Amino acid sequence: MSTAINIESLFKTYPDGTQALKGVNLSVEKGGFFALLGPNGAGKSTLIKLVTTLYKKDEGHLMIDGSDPDIDFKRVQRAIGVASQDNELDPGETVMALLRFQGRLFGLSKTEANKRAEELIDLFDLQPVSDKRTADLSGGNKRRLHCALALVHKPSILFLDEPTVGMDPLARSLFWEVITRLNREEGVTVFLTTQYLEEADKHASDMALIVDGSIHFAGTITGFKQLVHPQDASSLEESYLTYIKTLSPVC
Amino acid sequence: MQHVTVLLVNRGIIKLLKQPSAPLGGFAMSLFFLVVYNAGIGGVGFLDAFGDGGYLSFVFPIALISLAMGSSAGAGQALHADMQSGYFQRLYLSPAPRWSLVVAPMLADTLSSLVFGALLLAIGALFGVVFQFGWLSVLGIMVLCLLWSVTLCGFSAGVMLRTGQPQSAAIVTNAVFPLLFLSTTFLPRELMTAKWLLAISWGNPVTYVLEGCRYLLAGTSQPIFLLIALGVLSLTALSSVIFALNSASKIRR
């Protein structure tokens, strides 16, 4: 299987001297469902922002869908879809208008953009709020709209940064149904960060654990569980907590 | 212009139409200045120095200059609104050239300045402002307005991108505002008595814009001032666009 994301010796230090990434190496297979896990401040957001071209790297190599973002930025932008944990909605626009405009930004004609907006509204069950301004949406609907916006141009890699925060259980279940279908049926590579480890356990097959800017583990979720608890079958959350506690006994 | 840049300019114009406070404020301020200055000082218009156009034609350029000063807030405000809402990040993740994210609101703002500038010229013509070269005068004044507007929009957008403050336009306006009064704003050079003010007015770029406009209106100035105004404003417009683009490139940490 070929690689969707390949990261080698990636370093990033912020202007205030904080070393956010200390030589990260990571590889995500095309069509895979990958979870990046780690405590707060471990470097997850920095890594996502670098991979999605929002930040500049200090050192290292980065290939996204076969392209270097520093060389072929436009190709990378078309290959990736990003549903960030930050609010990225124009509060004055309606759900439908925002989706249409996103389609137009990615080169769709008016008709195509309308059609795609309607498809995504159906897919994410946003019909009841399609004419509402985004400022008036609930937290859960905003998260779903973020994801719909990320998918407008049918990217091959989807970045989901804490995607289900604020969603009720039913909305979460429907959301994961859509995402897993995209992953399995359309071969979209999913790169997920989440603090809901049961979601990563249920949907992802591969993972990496980042702590203090370094990758501590990269491999399958099953492999991680076996590494931490070789004798018992444990959940990802149990294994994760056990591992993190060994690093920092105070926790 | 690329398709995506046109889309972003259209979006900027629609935003201005939905929230027209900046251009309308600039327009109202310009009309206010025009009416008040003409009412207060217009009595001196019979002097030879004001030519056939009288005081209204003489003071009219200040209305054009203050128009752009008022409405240039739009570019900075539009960028600030997108950054505050986080939407700028989504635009940043689109294939739109990154320069266009900054240039589009500037263009939208400049277009709005030109529309209101044309409206102001029409009002001026109705009330007797003289255009000595007819439509050529109108065209020349519109070019000066364009360059002045780009200058202010660019600095306003650049300051906003660097400081993250919505008051970016006010910072630019506050920096430019004193220049209006250190120039031949109210009286021609030959009637100014303070030597220090005369000396400063020579070094003040606003003087050349005012005098350039006056040459095109009632012909109370020299053509060389128009050429200097075009040169100075081209330089400041270019500098401000470079400043804005350079400020945009610093967003990616």
Side-chain angles (χ1 to χ4, degrees), chain A residues 170-191:
Chain A
L170 179 64
R172 248 185 226 197
S173 158
L174 290 171
F175 176 81
W176 285 119
E177 211 175 281
V178 172
I179 299 301
T180 47
R181 200 166 63 225
L182 282 168
N183 174 247
R184 284 178 195 154
E185 293 173 15
E186 296 182 29
V188 174
T189 308
V190 179
F191 188 112

Side-chain angles (χ1 to χ4, degrees), chain B:
Chain B
M1 215 187 307
Q2 289 182 39
H3 156 83
V4 74
T5 311
V6 174
L7 275 176
L8 290 167
V9 174
N10 280 346
R11 175 175 178 266
I13 292 170
I14 291 166
K15 291 264 168 202
L16 275 178
L17 290 173
K18 281 183 181 171
Q19 288 182 320
S21 57
L24 279 179
F27 183 64
M29 188 168 77
S30 304
L31 274 182
F32 175 77
F33 280 156
L34 194 62
V35 170
V36 167
Y37 292 155
N38 193 47
I41 322 173
V44 297
F46 67 91
L47 295 170
D48 287 345
F50 296 104
D52 295 337
Y55 195 73
L56 184 64
S57 295
F58 181 84
V59 83
F60 191 74
I62 202 71
L64 293 167
I65 285 182
S66 56
L67 172 74
M69 283 176 68
S71 62
S72 68
Q77 281 174 357
L79 279 169
H80 182 261
D82 280 343
M83 292 184 113
Q84 280 294 98
S85 69
Y87 190 60
F88 191 81
Q89 187 161 299
R90 180 149 296 286
L91 294 173
Y92 208 69
L93 285 167
S94 76
R98 284 171 175 175
W99 59 263
S100 70
L101 302 180
V102 176
V103 168
M106 285 169 56
L107 277 177
D109 221 9
T110 301
L111 283 174
S112 127
S113 276
L114 288 179
V115 168
F116 280 104
L119 193 58
L120 205 58
L121 286 173
I123 291 171
L126 275 177
F127 286 89
V129 170
V130 173
F131 297 88
Q132 75 156 330
F133 302 115
W135 286 107
L136 272 180
S137 289
V138 173
L139 183 68
I141 286 170
M142 292 301 277
V143 170
L144 291 174
C145 284
L146 170 81
L147 294 171
W148 177 242
S149 182
V150 169
T151 300
L152 296 181
C153 288
F155 284 125
S156 154
V159 170
M160 205 299 296
L161 289 168
R162 281 171 193 260
T163 63
Q165 298 299 314
Q167 299 88 352
S168 59
I171 293 169
V172 174
T173 306
N174 289 343
V176 175
F177 200 64
L179 296 179
L180 296 188
F181 298 94
L182 296 169
S183 180
T184 54
T185 306
F186 304 114
L187 291 172
R189 187 171 277 119
E190 49 270 34
L191 295 183
M192 286 165 70
T193 49
K195 287 204 167 98
W196 64 268
L197 188 56
L198 267 174
I200 290 175
S201 75
W202 277 115
N204 180 356
V206 171
T207 302
Y208 300 99
V209 183
L210 291 172
E211 296 300 318
C213 284
R214 281 169 189 155
Y215 169 69
L216 292 168
L217 292 169
T220 53
S221 192
Q222 301 303 311
I224 185 69
F225 285 116
L226 175 62
L227 295 177
I228 295 173
L230 285 170
V232 167
L233 285 187
S234 300
L235 202 65
T236 54
L238 184 67
S239 308
S240 82
V241 171
I242 291 170
F243 174 68
L245 293 178
N246 188 261
S247 306
S249 71
K250 294 192 188 305
I251 295 170
R252 195 177 169 219
R253 297 203 282 172

Side-chain angles (χ1 to χ4, degrees), chain A residues 134-188:
Chain A
T134 67
D136 302 327
L137 296 181
S138 66
N141 280 335
K142 279 184 182 170
R143 302 305 315 157
R144 280 188 281 174
L145 177 57
H146 274 114
C147 202
L149 284 164
L151 288 167
V152 163
H153 57 293
K154 300 187 177 173
S156 58
I157 306 169
L158 178 62
F159 289 90
L160 299 173
D161 192 7
E162 305 286 353
T164 53
V165 173
M167 282 189 200
D168 62 50
L170 179 64
R172 248 185 226 197
S173 158
L174 290 171
F175 176 81
W176 285 119
E177 211 175 281
V178 172
I179 299 301
T180 47
R181 200 166 63 225
L182 282 168
N183 174 247
R184 284 178 195 154
E185 293 173 15
E186 296 182 29
V188 174

Side-chain angles (χ1 to χ4, degrees), chain A residues 224-235 238-240 242:
Chain A
F224 179 68
K225 289 179 190 171
Q226 279 171 356
L227 176 80
V228 181
H229 293 123
Q231 308 302 326
D232 336 301
S234 61
S235 69
E238 285 165 340
S239 302
Y240 173 87
T242 306

